[in-house]
Amino acid sequence: MIELRDVRKHFRTGSGKTEILRGVNLTVEQGEYVAIMGKSGSGKSTMLNLLGTLDVVDSGAYELAGKKVHKMRKGRRARLRNEEIGFVFQHFQLIANLSVYQNVLLPLTYGRKRLRRKRSRVLELLDEMGILDKKNQKPDRLSGGEKQRVAIARALVNEPSVILADEPTGSLDEETTESILSLFDRVHKKGATIIVITHDMEVAERADRILRLQNGVLV
């Protein structure tokens, strides 16, 4: 499903360059649930951006679902991202002037499914997330947990190969965190491949496997 081989990434600074990832190797099988932990500045966000095809490796290889991402041009990576990857962010990244229904529908506007099928898929997911009654509301009328449920529905709407979650419970209270983690558990049991970036051991322990980023290397 996912394979990184000797992946390196650096950023330019005033005094030269700083290497963030120093030869990362990672294999994630289809249907696996993996948590990646690390201190602030350890490279977690950089790694998420690479896995999500939002950035490119400086050297090494990245394959997703058998496709050589490291050799793709920007446009092809964007298509792959829309077709194969669902994102869940800490701060939800919902569009304020769109309704819940419209936010979840958005990734499907780039696809080829018939409109009736798109509508059916969105309503099906909103029902599964327990927020069908909120479909016409704007995000500012929702609680933090409801916003994250919308974000998860949006991540799932294209039936992606992998879900990438960046601190998905970081801004939620304890009770809401548990409900969101239970939701991830259900999604995983249905066969989803999930990679969670987190600093919270409670979140990480729900995964099949926990990895740590230390000094730019996965251990």
Side-chain angles (χ1 to χ4, degrees):
M1 170 58 63
I2 286 176
E3 186 170 5
L4 301 180
R5 296 191 301 275
D6 195 27
V7 163
R8 297 177 182 274
K9 184 68 182 178
H10 71 268
F11 292 104
R12 298 235 170 245
T13 61
S15 57
K17 66 180 183 180
T18 301
E19 195 168 30
I20 307 298
L21 300 179
R22 309 167 185 264
V24 169
N25 293 287
L26 171 68
T27 300
V28 178
E29 302 295 341
Q30 186 170 354
E32 197 173 6
Y33 189 167
V34 175
I36 299 176
M37 303 189 72
K39 296 179 181 178
S40 180
S42 64
K44 298 192 305 295
S45 294
T46 299
M47 188 163 177
L48 184 84
N49 286 340
L50 292 177
L51 290 171
T53 77
L54 296 169
D55 204 349
V56 294
V57 304
D58 291 332
S59 64
Y62 172 24
E63 293 189 17
L64 170 61
K67 303 175 181 70
K68 298 182 186 299
V69 179
H70 58 287
K71 293 186 176 181
M72 290 180 181
R73 295 182 181 275
K74 186 176 181 179
R76 180 68 187 94
R77 290 201 315 273
R79 289 194 297 274
L80 179 72
R81 184 163 58 246
N82 188 59
E83 294 167 0
E84 301 282 359
I85 301 170
F87 291 92
V88 180
F89 300 99
Q90 177 178 352
H91 298 297
F92 321 124
Q93 305 289 3
L94 302 178
I95 298 176
N97 63 343
L98 296 183
S99 68
V100 164
Y101 174 89
Q102 291 167 327
N103 266 281
V104 177
L105 178 68
L106 193 59
L108 290 176
T109 60
Y110 306 103
R112 299 176 181 175
K113 291 181 180 177
R114 294 180 181 274
L115 182 58
R116 183 179 298 175
R117 172 58 183 147
K118 291 178 180 180
R119 289 173 174 166
S120 175
R121 175 66 177 158
V122 173
L123 295 176
E124 172 189 313
L125 280 170
L126 292 178
D127 188 33
E128 186 178 335
M129 299 295 128
I131 49 172
L132 183 58
D133 60 328
K134 310 288 184 181
K135 68 179 185 295
N136 295 320
Q137 293 193 17
K138 299 291 177 62
D140 63 357
R141 303 294 301 275
L142 305 177
S143 69
E146 288 168 342
K147 290 177 182 177
Q148 196 59 293
R149 287 171 181 268
V150 176
I152 294 170
R154 182 183 58 189
L156 293 171
V157 74
N158 258 350
E159 301 176 273
S161 301
V162 60
I163 297 167
L164 300 178
D166 186 11
E167 302 286 2
T169 62
S171 58
L172 304 177
D173 60 41
E174 186 174 342
E175 182 178 350
T176 308
T177 291
E178 176 57 34
S179 72
I180 293 301
L181 291 179
S182 295
L183 192 53
F184 272 104
D185 290 343
R186 295 210 314 266
V187 170
H188 176 235
K189 285 178 181 177
K190 289 186 175 183
T193 304
I194 303 175
I195 299 177
V196 175
I197 305 292
T198 184
H199 69 276
D200 188 337
M201 182 55 78
E202 179 186 357
V203 175
E205 285 179 339
R206 305 295 276 259
D208 300 325
R209 184 160 52 116
I210 301 174
L211 303 174
R212 294 183 185 273
L213 262 176
Q214 292 180 0
N215 298 318
V217 179
L218 274 178
V219 297

